[in-house]
């Protein structure tokens, strides 16, 4: 029993790392672009001048010129490399051969290892991300009343999206998603949690790797200013999320039935309240 209990701290450490990374991801994708926390090089006059230079050019010429500017291409290539590192890790470790190999050597900690590596890869993206303040923007809310109302609308939509994301993760068995349930079942000798799920549930999980796709897309794209680096982040992650999904009507019917069942259980009055 002692070796089995040693698995618990490892799973908890992976969970804490993933939770902290999730909080940091909220700040990275929502708070910085909405509250203006992205650091910019140069003083206000330099930033305003560079922004005016882009506005003076035709939009198409501005983007073509950006692709020839080394001060823009260098951080853009760096950010692209960071995203490819994250996507590569996330996809490679989800491959069946890699999962079989990690399960052979790490056993029940396979899911916790995957979660920890994903969190570390995402930390690298967020900590070493290079903003491109001098690059062209696809859109920007600067004139009133848009400069006031667009950021407010984006903030409301981001709050709603993150609340939906947290709710969906709870419905999708957050403990199992983070690898905690696997260790808990192993310590108690209950076997593998996935072995207790129905074939329809296993089929859904194989098709739906990211159950919060729409909400994440809202967070990525709905921003007051869509600059060059944000466009790269939103486009590449949107492409990755789209390729990672393969839902059909059978999956959607099962998902709707399970959601209705769990909502019914949550809304059912407690025994003490029924009196």
């Amino acid at each position: 029993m002692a070796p089995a209990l040693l698995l618990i701290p490892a799973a908890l450490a992976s969970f804490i790392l993933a939770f902290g990374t999730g909080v940091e991801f909220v700040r990275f994708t929502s708070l910085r672009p909405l509250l203006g926390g992205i650091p910019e090089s140069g003083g206000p006059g330099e930033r305003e001048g560079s922004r005016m230079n882009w506005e003076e050019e035709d939009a198409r010429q501005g983007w073509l010129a950006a692709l020839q500017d080394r001060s823009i291409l260098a951080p853009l290539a760096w950010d692209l490399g960071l995203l490819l590192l994250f996507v590569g890790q996330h996809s490679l470790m989800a491959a069946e051969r890699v999962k079989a190999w990690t399960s052979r050597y790490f056993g029940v900690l396979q899911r916790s290892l995957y979660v920890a590596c994903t969190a570390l890869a995402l930390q690298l993206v967020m900590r070493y991300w290079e903003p491109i303040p001098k690059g062209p923007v696809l859109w920007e809310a600067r004139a009133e009343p848009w400069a006031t109302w667009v950021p407010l609308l984006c903030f409301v939509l981001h709050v709603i999206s993150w609340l939906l994301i947290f709710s969906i993760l709870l419905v999708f068995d957050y403990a199992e998603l983070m690898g905690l349930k696997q260790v808990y079942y192993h310590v108690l000798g209950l076997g593998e949690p996935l072995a207790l799920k129905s074939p329809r549930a296993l089929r859904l999980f194989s098709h739906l790797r990211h159950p919060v796709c729409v909400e994440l897309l809202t967070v990525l794209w709905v921003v007051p200013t869509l600059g060059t680096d944000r466009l790269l982040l939103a486009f590449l992650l949107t492409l990755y999320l789209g390729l990672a999904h393969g839902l059909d009507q059978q999956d959607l019917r099962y998902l709707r039935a399970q959601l209705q069942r769990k909502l019914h259980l949550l809304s059912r009055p407690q025994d003490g309240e029924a009196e």
Side-chain angles (χ1 to χ4, degrees), residues 7 10-12 14-15 108-118 177-180 182-183:
L7 300 173
L12 286 176
S14 173
F15 171 77
V108 73
L109 289 176
Q110 182 270 329
R111 182 66 189 181
S112 295
L113 177 67
Y114 175 77
V115 169
C117 291
T118 298
L177 189 66
M178 293 291 103
L180 289 174
Q182 288 85 334
V183 174

Side-chain angles (χ1 to χ4, degrees), residues 45-63:
E46 179 184 343
R47 294 196 300 268
E48 186 64 25
S50 63
R51 196 173 285 173
M52 290 176 64
N53 289 336
W54 286 113
E55 290 177 352
E56 289 172 358
E57 296 181 296
D58 178 76
R60 181 178 177 182
Q61 293 298 325
W63 284 93

Side-chain angles (χ1 to χ4, degrees), residues 225-237:
T225 302
L226 189 67
T228 310
D229 60 303
R230 181 69 177 205
L231 178 61
L232 174 67
L233 177 71
F235 175 77
L236 198 60
L237 291 184

Side-chain angles (χ1 to χ4, degrees), residues 203-236:
R203 184 176 187 274
L204 172 67
F205 294 159
S206 67
H207 289 175
L208 183 62
R209 290 180 55 192
H210 300 278
V212 291
C213 179
V214 175
E215 294 78 9
L216 277 179
L217 293 183
T218 301
V219 169
L220 291 172
W221 288 99
V222 181
V223 288
T225 302
L226 189 67
T228 310
D229 60 303
R230 181 69 177 205
L231 178 61
L232 174 67
L233 177 71
F235 175 77
L236 198 60

Side-chain angles (χ1 to χ4, degrees), residues 59-268:
R60 181 178 177 182
Q61 293 298 325
W63 284 93
L64 290 176
L67 295 178
Q68 301 173 1
D69 190 339
R70 299 186 66 178
S71 65
I72 294 176
L73 287 179
L76 195 63
W78 175 261
D79 293 341
L80 177 61
L82 290 174
L83 287 174
L84 291 178
L85 174 66
F86 169 73
V87 170
Q89 174 275 324
H90 206 53
S91 300
L92 182 64
M93 294 193 67
E96 291 301 325
R97 287 188 177 181
V98 178
K99 288 172 64 175
W101 183 85
T102 52
S103 297
R104 185 184 311 135
Y105 289 97
F106 294 92
V108 73
L109 289 176
Q110 182 270 329
R111 182 66 189 181
S112 295
L113 177 67
Y114 175 77
V115 169
C117 291
T118 298
L120 290 174
L122 192 55
Q123 285 283 353
L124 288 176
V125 172
M126 295 184 294
R127 291 186 179 276
Y128 295 101
W129 186 262
E130 288 285 346
I132 310 177
K134 294 183 180 181
V137 296
L138 192 60
W139 66 70
E140 183 177 17
R142 298 187 63 191
E144 293 294 347
W146 310 114
T148 299
W149 290 105
V150 170
L152 180 60
L153 176 62
C154 291
F155 178 79
V156 171
L157 290 176
H158 277 232
V159 170
I160 294 174
S161 296
W162 285 117
L163 289 176
L164 287 174
I165 287 173
F166 297 145
S167 301
I168 292 173
L169 289 179
L170 290 177
V171 170
F172 267 76
D173 200 341
Y174 187 73
E176 183 177 333
L177 189 66
M178 293 291 103
L180 289 174
K181 194 171 184 179
Q182 288 85 334
V183 174
Y184 175 75
Y185 272 44
H186 177 76
V187 171
L188 295 182
L190 300 178
E192 173 63 35
L194 284 177
L196 304 178
K197 294 187 179 297
S198 67
R200 296 175 64 192
L202 296 176
R203 184 176 187 274
L204 172 67
F205 294 159
S206 67
H207 289 175
L208 183 62
R209 290 180 55 192
H210 300 278
V212 291
C213 179
V214 175
E215 294 78 9
L216 277 179
L217 293 183
T218 301
V219 169
L220 291 172
W221 288 99
V222 181
V223 288
T225 302
L226 189 67
T228 310
D229 60 303
R230 181 69 177 205
L231 178 61
L232 174 67
L233 177 71
F235 175 77
L236 198 60
L237 291 184
T238 298
L239 182 64
Y240 178 65
L241 288 172
L243 294 176
H245 281 71
L247 294 181
D248 54 21
Q249 290 297 323
Q250 184 177 345
D251 291 324
L252 292 175
R253 286 195 298 269
Y254 172 77
L255 182 59
R256 183 167 57 250
Q258 290 300 308
L259 181 60
Q260 291 174 350
R261 183 179 67 85
K262 293 198 175 187
L263 289 177
H264 175 71
L265 292 176
L266 292 174
S267 61
R268 189 172 59 184

